[in-house]
Structure formats: structure tokens, C-alpha cells
Amino acid sequence: MYEIAIKQYLRKYGFGEFNPKAVLFDMDGVLYDSMPNHATSWRRSMASFGIDMAEADAYRYEGMRGVETIKLMAREQWHREISDEESQRMYDEKSRLFSLCPQAEIMEGVMDLQRKIKAEGMKIVVVTGSGQHSLLEKLAADFSGLVSPDLIVSSFDVSHGKPDPEPYLKGLAKAGVEPWQAVVVENAPLGVRAAVAAKIFTVAVNTGPLPSDLLTAEGASLVFDRMTELRDSWEKIAPAMTDSADAGLI
């Protein structure tokens, strides 16, 4: 199963090897079970400005920079472009409401998975569309010893958020690796699209309410239903990666 997925990846991009040296993680819905809080905050904050945003939309646009999501929603519903300042003001309200939500739990199994990755000598990079300083600071503290602040890509580092590949290309640059030397762990369709556009082997974990078919349709090479499933499968995935580096599977 895993060998086939790697073969298909190599053939798709014409790479001669797959030799991962870094794993790039999304944050919300991957490291933290935080998407329900985000969905509620999006719905309430946008309603206060007269934009109808269902909680399902938060999952549909997950991964996109917040200010870009707001501009898109305004374009769709108000039929006009809004300024960066107006969009930021609206995003600030969303951030305020999110800060009042119960603290999101760390996703079950993800720290165990990262410990396995670290033990294999791989770098861990976090690539998030978040622009909330409090969340980024909490991330570095909660995952101390696993996630280094200098290997975090946030909305402050890019001009274009997911589904543009720029965030993941920036993650590759920070880790000092090429696309065939990395793996992405994502949960959102737009995040998968961004990682695939960056030509990185993409593993999707469906931690939200959207059908898994959406993740496959965006190009995910592997799809798991839970983070614990990926954690428990890592010992089988990692040897397949090593074998591809040693023998070449193209």
C-alpha cells in the first residue's frame, strides 16, 4: 500500500528518489483539536459584521489566511472588494472570540508521532495559516523539544496563504530540503492542495466533518481517519520511505 503510493508520487513528478528528511505539519486540526473552536468563532464574528458564515465554511476554507478568507466571503456576499484594514479588523474580532473559547486539546497521538520522527533524525516544521501570536507562542511551549520556533511558518512569513503553495515552499526552505525530501501531514482540503502544488508527498488525516474523498480528490497520497491511526502506521510507512531512497521506485 505505502510502496504503491510512493511509486505513484515519484512517477507523477518525475523525481528519482524519495528520501524524507523533514515532516511538515499543519497546526489546527492536526496538532490541536481546535477546529470546533475556530468554526464557532468564525460564525459568530462574521455574523456581527453581517456576513453569513456557517461553521461548515470554516472547514471548507481551513488553512487559508484569515484575512483572505474574509475578503473571499465579502466578495461573495457583498460583491465588492474590502481593504486590508477592514479585513484585519474583522479578523481581530474573530481572534478575540477564539481566545474566549475553551482551550483546545493536543491531538491524540500527534506527540508520539513526532517523537518517532525526531528519533529517526528528521526535522519537524509547522506550517500554519494562523496569524495569532498567542497561538504561535502556545505552540512552541506545548511542543517544546519537538517544535522549534525557527521552524514555524505562519501567516506572517508569506504573501499568499494556502491553497497557494508558498507556505509549504517556505517550510521546505526553512528546513533546507527539497520536495522529495519531505512529507506533509494535513487535514484540510485547501492545505492538501497547497502541499501537492509544492510537490510534496502529502498524508491527510481527516479529523473534521468533511468526507475523506475531498482529501483524496485534492491529491493526498495517503488518507487516515485519525491521528492515532497514522501514529500506529508510522513503523510501516517509514521503512517504505527508506526502501525508496535505497533502491529508487520510479
Side-chain angles (χ1 to χ4, degrees), residues 10-110:
L10 291 171
R11 286 172 181 157
K12 179 178 180 179
Y13 297 109
F15 294 147
E17 65 172 326
F18 180 50
N19 186 17
K21 300 181 183 299
V23 181
L24 284 59
F25 287 84
D26 178 39
M27 183 173 73
D28 292 301
V30 173
L31 301 185
Y32 293 100
D33 188 14
S34 49
M35 280 309 298
N37 288 348
H38 280 292
T40 300
S41 303
W42 273 118
R43 177 181 57 79
R44 291 177 57 201
S45 61
M46 292 303 100
S48 70
F49 292 101
I51 288 181
D52 181 17
M53 185 173 182
E55 293 189 7
D57 290 329
Y59 292 92
R60 184 158 62 102
Y61 296 125
E62 183 186 353
M64 186 180 292
R65 292 198 310 165
V67 291
E68 292 176 351
T69 299
I70 293 168
K71 286 185 175 183
L72 177 61
M73 297 293 291
R75 192 178 303 122
E76 290 178 348
Q77 297 186 28
W78 294 348
H79 308 292
R80 68 177 177 87
E81 298 294 328
I82 63 173
S83 67
D84 292 343
E85 291 75 17
E86 185 176 4
S87 180
Q88 185 62 54
R89 179 167 57 87
M90 296 165 72
Y91 183 64
D92 289 344
E93 174 61 10
K94 182 266 174 182
S95 299
R96 185 188 72 82
L97 291 178
F98 180 82
S99 70
L100 301 177
C101 291
Q103 182 171 302
E105 297 294 326
I106 293 173
M107 194 68 70
E108 183 183 1
V110 75

Side-chain angles (χ1 to χ4, degrees), residues 191-217:
V192 171
R193 189 187 304 176
V196 170
K199 301 182 179 181
I200 308 171
F201 186 87
T202 304
V203 178
V205 184
N206 191 6
T207 59
L210 299 178
S212 294
D213 288 350
L214 290 180
L215 300 169
T216 302

